Amino acid sequence: MGNSIITISREYGSGGREIGEKLAKRLGVEFYDKEIITMLAKESGLSEEVVRSWAEKDVSAFFYGINAARGIIPIPDRIFGARRTVLNELADKGSCVIVGSCSDYILKDRDNLWKFFIYAPMDFRKKRVAEVYGEDLATYPNLLKRKDEERRDYYSHFTSYKFGDYKNYDACFNSAIGIDNVVDLIEYMVKKG
Amino acid sequence: MGNSIITISREYGSGGREIGEKLAKRLGVEFYDKEIITMLAKESGLSEEVVRSWAEKDVSAFFYGINAARGIIPIPDRIFGARRTVLNELADKGSCVIVGSCSDYILKDRDNLWKFFIYAPMDFRKKRVAEVYGEDLATYPNLLKRKDEERRDYYSHFTSYKFGDYKNYDACFNSAIGIDNVVDLIEYMVKKG
């Protein structure tokens, strides 16, 4: 497979993170997901708490406008700037799997890049979010809808792409066919690649 | 794999037909593509020439409106009605691969259905259309754009889905990874079932 950077973009609750983690183990390469928050904090000079709270926040929010009008670089922009630096540093280190973080867009000009998109039907995602994250979807009935909107808005705000547009990916998988099946398929593609 | 109906939706020039044909051979099941035109003609009572000329035509065309206003069932609707009958008959016969024909939509309520979408970058498709169909894209520079629009309009006119929306598929493959690789991947998925 040579030196391969594998990016996994995903719908919330589709199991993209688990797929990425299992894939990295199978391939024996680094896996980057939550640790990116720590690196973004270090790079941007913001606290991890602030980075986490703004990482996929609604970029059209009130405070964003206020900051921009004042000529201060808004927090989401500072975080996105840090993303560019951090993801390129990680990709330079060698083969890895990166989940989310607009990594498919930021690293798009690299030759050794694989780009996958993971999605799933709403019912599958609801069940998974309740099981894996323990979120009570009876209390937050719009959680998935809101998360979808946030990811879509964030992605289109900072990239020239549309979130989930198949054109940007090597393949897109419905994880309802089975998390391990998707891992098998991506492993096959990357090893053959 | 049991009794499986595999539908392949595709962008023009992406190699979806070749993928479907090779897949059917590998799985030892029937392959339906161009023969559907003959069946549609028989079912609708129209000639094959008329069916072929209207099969993916712009459904908002002038004559379509005229016919509808007069209360005559427009030709595209008659063809779509025939599609429902023909595709259900084929699916009832047993395992098969069906390319296009809105088969993913028409057969959507079947349990044993696999739905795949094949796409490719514009340059890949242009090269393929020139090589496989011998079309001179210098003479018809907008051929692919027009074909994309026709398929999109036809699909959204007759179905409640959006053409190329990943949500409707088990997986979507960029055929630039290699036609045979895509065949391998779908074969793996269907056999694993």
Side-chain angles (χ1 to χ4, degrees), chain B residues 37-58:
Chain B
I37 295 286
T38 312
M39 299 179 209
L40 289 179
K42 208 175 156 193
E43 179 65 29
S44 66
L46 299 162
S47 74
E48 283 191 33
E49 203 184 346
V50 168
V51 170
R52 203 172 290 112
S53 72
W54 278 96
E56 285 186 353
K57 262 280 166 306
D58 181 359

PDB file of all heavy atoms in Angstrom, chain B residues 37-58:
ATOM      1  N   ILE B  37     -34.931  -2.378 -23.349  1.00  0.00           N
ATOM      2  CA  ILE B  37     -35.600  -1.548 -24.372  1.00  0.00           C
ATOM      3  C   ILE B  37     -36.628  -2.389 -25.146  1.00  0.00           C
ATOM      4  O   ILE B  37     -37.779  -1.968 -25.319  1.00  0.00           O
ATOM      5  CB  ILE B  37     -34.559  -0.939 -25.355  1.00  0.00           C
ATOM      6  CG1 ILE B  37     -33.618   0.041 -24.629  1.00  0.00           C
ATOM      7  CG2 ILE B  37     -35.253  -0.278 -26.553  1.00  0.00           C
ATOM      8  CD1 ILE B  37     -34.213   1.388 -24.261  1.00  0.00           C
ATOM      9  N   THR B  38     -36.212  -3.578 -25.567  1.00  0.00           N
ATOM     10  CA  THR B  38     -37.113  -4.482 -26.306  1.00  0.00           C
ATOM     11  C   THR B  38     -38.341  -4.830 -25.466  1.00  0.00           C
ATOM     12  O   THR B  38     -39.474  -4.811 -25.950  1.00  0.00           O
ATOM     13  CB  THR B  38     -36.355  -5.791 -26.674  1.00  0.00           C
ATOM     14  OG1 THR B  38     -35.091  -5.434 -27.237  1.00  0.00           O
ATOM     15  CG2 THR B  38     -37.143  -6.635 -27.655  1.00  0.00           C
ATOM     16  N   MET B  39     -38.085  -5.118 -24.205  1.00  0.00           N
ATOM     17  CA  MET B  39     -39.198  -5.479 -23.313  1.00  0.00           C
ATOM     18  C   MET B  39     -40.135  -4.295 -23.088  1.00  0.00           C
ATOM     19  O   MET B  39     -41.354  -4.463 -23.014  1.00  0.00           O
ATOM     20  CB  MET B  39     -38.649  -5.970 -21.968  1.00  0.00           C
ATOM     21  CG  MET B  39     -37.762  -7.210 -22.070  1.00  0.00           C
ATOM     22  SD  MET B  39     -37.142  -7.712 -20.432  1.00  0.00           S
ATOM     23  CE  MET B  39     -35.588  -8.469 -20.875  1.00  0.00           C
ATOM     24  N   LEU B  40     -39.537  -3.097 -22.959  1.00  0.00           N
ATOM     25  CA  LEU B  40     -40.358  -1.891 -22.743  1.00  0.00           C
ATOM     26  C   LEU B  40     -41.245  -1.628 -23.954  1.00  0.00           C
ATOM     27  O   LEU B  40     -42.404  -1.235 -23.815  1.00  0.00           O
ATOM     28  CB  LEU B  40     -39.472  -0.662 -22.483  1.00  0.00           C
ATOM     29  CG  LEU B  40     -38.738  -0.610 -21.143  1.00  0.00           C
ATOM     30  CD1 LEU B  40     -37.881   0.654 -21.067  1.00  0.00           C
ATOM     31  CD2 LEU B  40     -39.713  -0.645 -19.974  1.00  0.00           C
ATOM     32  N   ALA B  41     -40.673  -1.844 -25.146  1.00  0.00           N
ATOM     33  CA  ALA B  41     -41.449  -1.633 -26.378  1.00  0.00           C
ATOM     34  C   ALA B  41     -42.637  -2.582 -26.397  1.00  0.00           C
ATOM     35  O   ALA B  41     -43.781  -2.168 -26.628  1.00  0.00           O
ATOM     36  CB  ALA B  41     -40.549  -1.859 -27.593  1.00  0.00           C
ATOM     37  N   LYS B  42     -42.378  -3.839 -26.094  1.00  0.00           N
ATOM     38  CA  LYS B  42     -43.433  -4.848 -26.092  1.00  0.00           C
ATOM     39  C   LYS B  42     -44.518  -4.494 -25.065  1.00  0.00           C
ATOM     40  O   LYS B  42     -45.717  -4.539 -25.359  1.00  0.00           O
ATOM     41  CB  LYS B  42     -42.804  -6.213 -25.754  1.00  0.00           C
ATOM     42  CG  LYS B  42     -43.554  -7.384 -26.348  1.00  0.00           C
ATOM     43  CD  LYS B  42     -42.817  -8.686 -26.096  1.00  0.00           C
ATOM     44  CE  LYS B  42     -43.796  -9.838 -26.146  1.00  0.00           C
ATOM     45  NZ  LYS B  42     -43.229 -11.071 -25.619  1.00  0.00           N
ATOM     46  N   GLU B  43     -44.086  -4.116 -23.895  1.00  0.00           N
ATOM     47  CA  GLU B  43     -45.021  -3.830 -22.802  1.00  0.00           C
ATOM     48  C   GLU B  43     -45.847  -2.560 -23.058  1.00  0.00           C
ATOM     49  O   GLU B  43     -47.032  -2.514 -22.761  1.00  0.00           O
ATOM     50  CB  GLU B  43     -44.234  -3.686 -21.486  1.00  0.00           C
ATOM     51  CG  GLU B  43     -45.059  -3.365 -20.265  1.00  0.00           C
ATOM     52  CD  GLU B  43     -46.048  -4.466 -19.872  1.00  0.00           C
ATOM     53  OE1 GLU B  43     -45.755  -5.647 -20.146  1.00  0.00           O
ATOM     54  OE2 GLU B  43     -47.127  -4.138 -19.330  1.00  0.00           O
ATOM     55  N   SER B  44     -45.185  -1.534 -23.637  1.00  0.00           N
ATOM     56  CA  SER B  44     -45.870  -0.241 -23.817  1.00  0.00           C
ATOM     57  C   SER B  44     -46.621  -0.146 -25.134  1.00  0.00           C
ATOM     58  O   SER B  44     -47.449   0.746 -25.322  1.00  0.00           O
ATOM     59  CB  SER B  44     -44.844   0.892 -23.753  1.00  0.00           C
ATOM     60  OG  SER B  44     -43.950   0.801 -24.862  1.00  0.00           O
ATOM     61  N   GLY B  45     -46.307  -1.052 -26.063  1.00  0.00           N
ATOM     62  CA  GLY B  45     -46.932  -0.988 -27.380  1.00  0.00           C
ATOM     63  C   GLY B  45     -46.305   0.073 -28.283  1.00  0.00           C
ATOM     64  O   GLY B  45     -46.827   0.369 -29.361  1.00  0.00           O
ATOM     65  N   LEU B  46     -45.181   0.622 -27.862  1.00  0.00           N
ATOM     66  CA  LEU B  46     -44.460   1.595 -28.695  1.00  0.00           C
ATOM     67  C   LEU B  46     -43.350   0.854 -29.442  1.00  0.00           C
ATOM     68  O   LEU B  46     -42.967  -0.250 -29.066  1.00  0.00           O
ATOM     69  CB  LEU B  46     -43.848   2.682 -27.808  1.00  0.00           C
ATOM     70  CG  LEU B  46     -44.839   3.530 -26.983  1.00  0.00           C
ATOM     71  CD1 LEU B  46     -44.120   4.246 -25.849  1.00  0.00           C
ATOM     72  CD2 LEU B  46     -45.546   4.545 -27.887  1.00  0.00           C
ATOM     73  N   SER B  47     -42.813   1.479 -30.491  1.00  0.00           N
ATOM     74  CA  SER B  47     -41.712   0.832 -31.203  1.00  0.00           C
ATOM     75  C   SER B  47     -40.413   0.984 -30.405  1.00  0.00           C
ATOM     76  O   SER B  47     -40.284   1.890 -29.590  1.00  0.00           O
ATOM     77  CB  SER B  47     -41.519   1.457 -32.582  1.00  0.00           C
ATOM     78  OG  SER B  47     -40.909   2.726 -32.447  1.00  0.00           O
ATOM     79  N   GLU B  48     -39.443   0.078 -30.673  1.00  0.00           N
ATOM     80  CA  GLU B  48     -38.153   0.164 -29.971  1.00  0.00           C
ATOM     81  C   GLU B  48     -37.481   1.510 -30.232  1.00  0.00           C
ATOM     82  O   GLU B  48     -36.831   2.072 -29.365  1.00  0.00           O
ATOM     83  CB  GLU B  48     -37.218  -0.966 -30.435  1.00  0.00           C
ATOM     84  CG  GLU B  48     -37.574  -2.287 -29.807  1.00  0.00           C
ATOM     85  CD  GLU B  48     -36.516  -3.358 -30.041  1.00  0.00           C
ATOM     86  OE1 GLU B  48     -35.316  -3.024 -30.101  1.00  0.00           O
ATOM     87  OE2 GLU B  48     -36.898  -4.536 -30.170  1.00  0.00           O
ATOM     88  N   GLU B  49     -37.660   2.005 -31.458  1.00  0.00           N
ATOM     89  CA  GLU B  49     -37.032   3.279 -31.831  1.00  0.00           C
ATOM     90  C   GLU B  49     -37.595   4.419 -30.964  1.00  0.00           C
ATOM     91  O   GLU B  49     -36.845   5.268 -30.476  1.00  0.00           O
ATOM     92  CB  GLU B  49     -37.313   3.548 -33.310  1.00  0.00           C
ATOM     93  CG  GLU B  49     -36.316   4.484 -33.933  1.00  0.00           C
ATOM     94  CD  GLU B  49     -36.687   4.793 -35.385  1.00  0.00           C
ATOM     95  OE1 GLU B  49     -37.544   4.073 -35.947  1.00  0.00           O
ATOM     96  OE2 GLU B  49     -36.140   5.771 -35.924  1.00  0.00           O
ATOM     97  N   VAL B  50     -38.903   4.420 -30.808  1.00  0.00           N
ATOM     98  CA  VAL B  50     -39.534   5.466 -29.989  1.00  0.00           C
ATOM     99  C   VAL B  50     -39.103   5.327 -28.527  1.00  0.00           C
ATOM    100  O   VAL B  50     -38.734   6.315 -27.878  1.00  0.00           O
ATOM    101  CB  VAL B  50     -41.088   5.405 -30.115  1.00  0.00           C
ATOM    102  CG1 VAL B  50     -41.757   6.275 -29.058  1.00  0.00           C
ATOM    103  CG2 VAL B  50     -41.525   5.832 -31.508  1.00  0.00           C
ATOM    104  N   VAL B  51     -39.109   4.099 -28.030  1.00  0.00           N
ATOM    105  CA  VAL B  51     -38.710   3.887 -26.635  1.00  0.00           C
ATOM    106  C   VAL B  51     -37.279   4.379 -26.421  1.00  0.00           C
ATOM    107  O   VAL B  51     -36.989   5.107 -25.472  1.00  0.00           O
ATOM    108  CB  VAL B  51     -38.829   2.397 -26.235  1.00  0.00           C
ATOM    109  CG1 VAL B  51     -38.177   2.142 -24.881  1.00  0.00           C
ATOM    110  CG2 VAL B  51     -40.287   1.977 -26.181  1.00  0.00           C
ATOM    111  N   ARG B  52     -36.387   4.004 -27.340  1.00  0.00           N
ATOM    112  CA  ARG B  52     -34.979   4.385 -27.217  1.00  0.00           C
ATOM    113  C   ARG B  52     -34.844   5.920 -27.213  1.00  0.00           C
ATOM    114  O   ARG B  52     -34.127   6.488 -26.410  1.00  0.00           O
ATOM    115  CB  ARG B  52     -34.159   3.766 -28.355  1.00  0.00           C
ATOM    116  CG  ARG B  52     -32.687   3.642 -28.020  1.00  0.00           C
ATOM    117  CD  ARG B  52     -31.925   2.863 -29.081  1.00  0.00           C
ATOM    118  NE  ARG B  52     -32.260   1.449 -29.094  1.00  0.00           N
ATOM    119  CZ  ARG B  52     -32.917   0.821 -30.072  1.00  0.00           C
ATOM    120  NH1 ARG B  52     -33.292   1.477 -31.154  1.00  0.00           N
ATOM    121  NH2 ARG B  52     -33.183  -0.466 -29.986  1.00  0.00           N
ATOM    122  N   SER B  53     -35.579   6.556 -28.085  1.00  0.00           N
ATOM    123  CA  SER B  53     -35.449   8.015 -28.228  1.00  0.00           C
ATOM    124  C   SER B  53     -36.024   8.755 -27.017  1.00  0.00           C
ATOM    125  O   SER B  53     -35.617   9.878 -26.731  1.00  0.00           O
ATOM    126  CB  SER B  53     -36.124   8.491 -29.506  1.00  0.00           C
ATOM    127  OG  SER B  53     -37.535   8.410 -29.375  1.00  0.00           O
ATOM    128  N   TRP B  54     -36.971   8.129 -26.310  1.00  0.00           N
ATOM    129  CA  TRP B  54     -37.602   8.795 -25.168  1.00  0.00           C
ATOM    130  C   TRP B  54     -37.131   8.260 -23.822  1.00  0.00           C
ATOM    131  O   TRP B  54     -37.537   8.781 -22.785  1.00  0.00           O
ATOM    132  CB  TRP B  54     -39.126   8.646 -25.240  1.00  0.00           C
ATOM    133  CG  TRP B  54     -39.750   9.643 -26.159  1.00  0.00           C
ATOM    134  CD1 TRP B  54     -40.081   9.441 -27.460  1.00  0.00           C
ATOM    135  CD2 TRP B  54     -40.112  11.000 -25.852  1.00  0.00           C
ATOM    136  NE1 TRP B  54     -40.623  10.579 -28.001  1.00  0.00           N
ATOM    137  CE2 TRP B  54     -40.661  11.556 -27.035  1.00  0.00           C
ATOM    138  CE3 TRP B  54     -40.032  11.800 -24.724  1.00  0.00           C
ATOM    139  CZ2 TRP B  54     -41.119  12.869 -27.099  1.00  0.00           C
ATOM    140  CZ3 TRP B  54     -40.485  13.106 -24.785  1.00  0.00           C
ATOM    141  CH2 TRP B  54     -41.019  13.633 -25.962  1.00  0.00           C
ATOM    142  N   ALA B  55     -36.305   7.239 -23.820  1.00  0.00           N
ATOM    143  CA  ALA B  55     -36.002   6.524 -22.571  1.00  0.00           C
ATOM    144  C   ALA B  55     -35.431   7.428 -21.477  1.00  0.00           C
ATOM    145  O   ALA B  55     -35.732   7.264 -20.306  1.00  0.00           O
ATOM    146  CB  ALA B  55     -35.066   5.354 -22.835  1.00  0.00           C
ATOM    147  N   GLU B  56     -34.594   8.379 -21.846  1.00  0.00           N
ATOM    148  CA  GLU B  56     -34.038   9.284 -20.828  1.00  0.00           C
ATOM    149  C   GLU B  56     -34.173  10.729 -21.281  1.00  0.00           C
ATOM    150  O   GLU B  56     -33.415  11.600 -20.883  1.00  0.00           O
ATOM    151  CB  GLU B  56     -32.557   8.966 -20.585  1.00  0.00           C
ATOM    152  CG  GLU B  56     -32.350   7.712 -19.786  1.00  0.00           C
ATOM    153  CD  GLU B  56     -30.884   7.486 -19.431  1.00  0.00           C
ATOM    154  OE1 GLU B  56     -30.023   8.231 -19.925  1.00  0.00           O
ATOM    155  OE2 GLU B  56     -30.620   6.558 -18.653  1.00  0.00           O
ATOM    156  N   LYS B  57     -35.128  10.957 -22.142  1.00  0.00           N
ATOM    157  CA  LYS B  57     -35.307  12.296 -22.708  1.00  0.00           C
ATOM    158  C   LYS B  57     -35.781  13.299 -21.673  1.00  0.00           C
ATOM    159  O   LYS B  57     -36.375  12.945 -20.674  1.00  0.00           O
ATOM    160  CB  LYS B  57     -36.354  12.236 -23.823  1.00  0.00           C
ATOM    161  CG  LYS B  57     -35.758  12.144 -25.212  1.00  0.00           C
ATOM    162  CD  LYS B  57     -35.304  13.517 -25.695  1.00  0.00           C
ATOM    163  CE  LYS B  57     -34.416  13.461 -26.908  1.00  0.00           C
ATOM    164  NZ  LYS B  57     -33.242  12.595 -26.777  1.00  0.00           N
ATOM    165  N   ASP B  58     -35.529  14.534 -22.014  1.00  0.00           N
ATOM    166  CA  ASP B  58     -35.950  15.654 -21.184  1.00  0.00           C
ATOM    167  C   ASP B  58     -37.471  15.631 -21.025  1.00  0.00           C
ATOM    168  O   ASP B  58     -38.211  15.866 -21.975  1.00  0.00           O
ATOM    169  CB  ASP B  58     -35.520  16.958 -21.858  1.00  0.00           C
ATOM    170  CG  ASP B  58     -35.913  18.161 -21.024  1.00  0.00           C
ATOM    171  OD1 ASP B  58     -36.517  17.971 -19.960  1.00  0.00           O
ATOM    172  OD2 ASP B  58     -35.609  19.281 -21.450  1.00  0.00           O
TER     173      ASP B  58
END
